[in-house]
Structures are given as C-alpha cells and as structure tokens.
Amino acid sequence: MCLAIPMKLVEVAGADGVAEVGGVRRAVRLDLVPGAALADHVLVHAGYAIQVVDEEEARATLADLALLLGGPVGPADVDETMSGP
Amino acid sequence: MTGHAPDGYQDPALVRRLAEELAAQRPPRRLTFMHVCGTHENAIGRHALRDLLPDWLRVVAGPGCPVCVCPPADIDVAVRCALGGGAVLATFGDVVRVPSRLSIEQARAAGADVRVVYSPADAVRLARETPGREVVFFALGFETTACTVAAALRAGPPQNFSVVVAHRLIPPAMAHVLALPDVPLDGYVLPGHVMTVMGTREYEGFAARHGVPLSVAGFEPVDILLSLTRLVGLATRGEAALDNAYPRAVRREGNPAARAAIDAVFEPVDARWRGIGLIPASGLALRPAFRHLDAAARFGIAPDPTLRDIEPGCQCHRVMLGMIDPPECGLFGRTCTPERPVGPCMVSAEGTCRAWQRYAAGAPPAHRSGGQP
C-alpha cells in the first residue's frame, strides 16, 4: 500500500484533477498538492496526488550516476544529460 | 518524456553497473539491512535484486505490510458494522480476504454489503450517492494512506459516513525491531512514499538516537541499489546518519499539506500490531473534532481482544519481523498459498510471503539477459 504511481497532471480544476500515465487517465484529488500545476508529474496513491515529482532532480540523479559509473544512463537520456545547464 | 522515471531508473545496464559498484565495497563485517515496505519487497522480487547482492549483504523485509499488521479485532469491527449494523462497508481490496473471526469476504458471503474502493474519496462519494444507508470506510494503511484519509475527512463527508481507523506509523515499528535481541540490524532502507509525505527531518533524529544509518529509497531497481550502496558506505564509516537516495520525490519537509492534514485529523495512540503486540504511539485515532465520524462509536462496537492473531503453524509474526524468510515456514507453498492463505502475509499484495511466492519462479529479469557471466 506504499504503492504510488508517477503520473502526469493533464487536467486541473480546483481540488479535482486528471492524471495520465501510459495512455491511462485517472481522476485524482489534488487536496494535498495545492501548488501542483498542469503538466506536473505527481505521485498518486489511493486516488490522491501526494507529492510533485521534481523532474530536474530525477535527471540530476541519473546524470550523477553516469559520471560516477561512466557511460550513458540510458538510450533516451543521453542527449538530455549532454546538454549543459 | 525523456529523463523521466521510471525509464532511466530501470535501465538494465545501469542496474548491472550499480550492482558491481555495490559488490566492490569492502565493509568490515557482514551487513543486514531491513526495509519496511511491501512495495520494496515486491520490487526486490520482481527485479531479482537479491541475486545481485554480494554474499556479505542481506536485505530483510520488516513489518511493512499495513494489511498484514492490522489486528483481526479491527477487521472484526469493520465486519460487525456491516453485518450487525447494516452499513455498507467500503474497503480497500487488499484486506478483503485477510483472516479474522470472519474475513470481509466471508462477511460478504454471509450477506454484508461490501464495496471495494480504490480511494477514500470513492467511499465518501458512495455515501453521498446512497443517502439512506450508512457507509463505513475501513481506513488502514501507513502514513502514505493516512494523509489521503485525512484529506477526505477534512473535506466534509456527509452525515451517513463514518470510518474505522486502523492506521499504523512506521518509526515506532522500526524502533521496536531495533530493540529485539534476535534481529540484529545494521540500518534501514526507508520507504520512499511514506517519506515523500512525512519528510526526512524527524528521521535524522531517529538515526542519531538509535545509532543506525538510514537511507530513503525509491522503488525502481536503480533506486534500491543506490540506497543500499549509500547504506553500506554509512555503515562502513560508522555513520549513524540519514541519507536521501530518492531526492526527486522526498524532501526534508516532506509534503507539508499532507502532514498538516494528518495532524489536524489524527493523533498518535498506542496500538497493537498483528503478531507483534502493542507498540507505543504507533497508531492513529481521530481527534475530538472528528470523533463524530468514528464508526465503532456510532455503531456501539467495541473491539474484541480475544481474537487470535496467528493461526497454528503460521509464521507470519516471525516473517514480519525479519526473523525468518518465507520458505522457512513449514506452511509456505504447501498448505498456505494465495488461493488458500493461512496468514495475512500470503493474502496481501504487500505481504512478504505473497511476494516470495509470486517471484519464486518466472522469467529472468532484463538485467540478467545478454550479459557476460
């Protein structure tokens, strides 16, 4: 029950929203993420968004690992990490 | 979207390199870390991560399954609201088959009106849609779920709605395990989604007070291996500190709105854990302003403390505390299966026995294929 799915907010209407992942859309409550905006990535648990995912941090962690371990971090990410801040 | 989890965080090549990095560490002794999250145990099983660990490193599952640790007395209160009280029982699906005096599934067979819901918001909506019926929501889960229930209760449910509260808190259980002489641990992998809600601030004090390193882990294979690598480093250096290996989702302050919701609606109380017993300040109860929503009080039902936690032969109480692995239970895979479970650990999707049973046989995961031995 710790299961929380990263999803993208595609509709926001006050405390109600719609999030999407893999082509599947789901109603989500936004009571707990008052600052969430359209296109944010959120963690969804039991029908509620419980956190906004920091995409920059997501990229930064993978980039750090690439530096630490050497080599690209994944086929889709190579160009992203090569471009500078 | 490129760069977005989970893609990069599942990359098989990165997983292999992280595993090599981990195995190259040279700690001064064998290390055992515990996680407290059924979703972590499932991720470990799905990606066969234990196969990648060096033999000096052991990762054990702790009491991280909220359905498994829910006392049969709490399930029984929910059932009696429906059977005796005539209420519609709205419940998460995962607890429906967990044994009690009657499981919720058995209660349904006996005529109880049971509706499986995915969200507390669904239970509230059900109450709005059936104004002539009492609707009771069975609220269990750890902090991650408690904040969603708190939000639903604060939003002002209708008068025909009430709740059986059975939430439990992670840190007291972690402290309880550390005090057990027969479960020596070198640190904890912290549950990323409890942590995304609660934040890391209070856990810094936990690490210092208990003298153990802690690392917050996400749920992809890269997340888990990274967290383990960080824990090995902390343990090797003798640092009882907190590390956050899931910064994309976990901040020091957590989610302040979610924490405020929990604080507004609930207060910590001493609580029993199935198979474990009483752990101080480890449960949540409704604060006075919300007690009118308490189903047990509304229906005049007191919990029955005589209900048996663990059936004869069942070893869930030892599995949940990391004392044994599921195959060491004589019932595992024989008389205890997901189809015919004896104990909660085999029923719940977050249960350790269920996870081991699910991943015992199957196709090798991606990181193993195509690589050199």
Side-chain angles (χ1 to χ4, degrees), chain B residues 46-352:
Chain B
R46 179 180 314 119
H47 300 284
L49 293 183
R50 285 197 177 89
D51 292 356
L52 299 179
L53 301 183
D55 57 14
W56 46 259
L57 178 58
R58 185 160 172 252
V59 177
V60 299
C65 166
V67 164
C68 303
V69 301
C70 180
D74 289 355
I75 298 172
D76 186 59
V77 169
V79 162
R80 285 154 65 195
C81 289
L83 273 181
V88 177
L89 179 61
T91 177
F92 293 124
D94 203 44
V95 66
V96 166
R97 297 172 64 229
V98 172
S100 179
R101 188 200 317 270
L102 286 180
S103 70
I104 293 172
E105 181 179 63
Q106 288 170 328
R108 178 188 254 160
D113 191 341
V114 175
R115 317 280 177 95
V116 170
V117 295
Y118 158 71
S119 169
D122 295 338
V124 172
R125 185 171 51 250
L126 180 62
R128 284 197 214 293
E129 292 168 354
T130 55
R133 302 283 308 278
E134 283 286 326
V135 174
V136 172
F137 175 60
F138 187 21
L140 70 170
F142 294 125
E143 291 91 324
T144 327
T145 314
C147 69
T148 71
V149 174
L153 299 188
R154 279 180 110 187
Q159 297 228 340
N160 59 323
F161 179 89
S162 61
V163 59
V164 173
V165 179
H167 292 301
R168 296 292 183 270
L169 302 172
I170 287 289
M174 289 170 53
H176 179 86
V177 174
L178 285 174
L180 296 175
D182 41 1
V183 190
L185 297 180
D186 297 293
Y188 277 105
V189 175
L190 295 180
H193 295 148
V194 169
M195 300 305 296
T196 202
V197 171
M198 300 306 288
T200 58
R201 182 196 283 256
E202 274 76 27
Y203 285 77
E204 293 164 2
F206 186 104
R209 279 195 307 280
H210 294 275
V212 286
L214 309 173
S215 175
V216 184
F219 298 89
E220 301 302 335
V222 166
D223 293 319
I224 296 170
L225 289 174
L226 180 60
S227 177
L228 289 173
T229 305
R230 299 270 181 87
L231 275 174
V232 170
L234 288 170
T236 300
R237 295 188 301 275
E239 284 183 44
L242 179 134
D243 164 78
N244 182 3
Y246 193 25
R248 67 187 185 276
V250 175
R251 285 140 216 159
R252 198 152 179 263
E253 304 308 313
N255 177 339
R259 298 189 58 180
I262 293 175
D263 284 342
V265 174
F266 298 117
E267 58 191 10
V269 290
D270 295 347
R272 294 185 45 81
W273 292 51
R274 185 172 196 155
I276 296 173
L278 188 80
I279 302 181
S282 67
L284 291 177
L286 293 169
R287 288 194 186 274
F290 291 88
R291 279 199 197 134
H292 62 285
L293 295 172
D294 182 69
R298 187 178 295 190
F299 288 85
I301 295 170
D304 179 354
T306 69
L307 292 176
R308 185 165 56 193
D309 272 9
I310 301 291
E311 294 304 303
C314 176
Q315 298 290 307
C316 277
H317 54 302
R318 299 177 69 217
V319 170
M320 286 193 297
L321 291 173
M323 296 174 182
I324 61 168
D325 290 332
E328 296 175 67
C329 171
L331 308 184
F332 178 76
R334 299 195 181 96
T335 49
C336 184
T337 63
E339 296 73 34
R340 301 189 53 181
V342 175
C345 301
M346 187 61 90
V347 176
S348 170
E350 299 278 290
T352 304

Side-chain angles (χ1 to χ4, degrees), chain B residues 6-29:
Chain B
D7 308 329
Y9 289 85
Q10 289 181 349
D11 177 64
L14 183 54
V15 169
R16 272 197 300 274
R17 287 207 304 283
L18 265 173
E20 287 163 7
E21 175 74 17
L22 176 58
Q25 305 304 301
R26 290 291 174 264
R29 65 184 183 281

Side-chain angles (χ1 to χ4, degrees), chain A residues 12-57:
Chain A
V12 173
D16 285 301
V18 176
E20 183 269 337
V21 68
V24 177
R25 291 165 61 98
R26 163 172 277 169
V28 291
R29 288 289 302 185
L30 302 175
D31 312 50
L32 301 174
V33 287
L38 208 57
D40 277 349
H41 284 83
V42 292
L43 288 174
V44 178
H45 173 76
Y48 283 76
I50 60 168
Q51 188 56 279
V52 178
V53 177
D54 186 334
E55 292 300 312
E56 275 313 306
E57 277 285 6

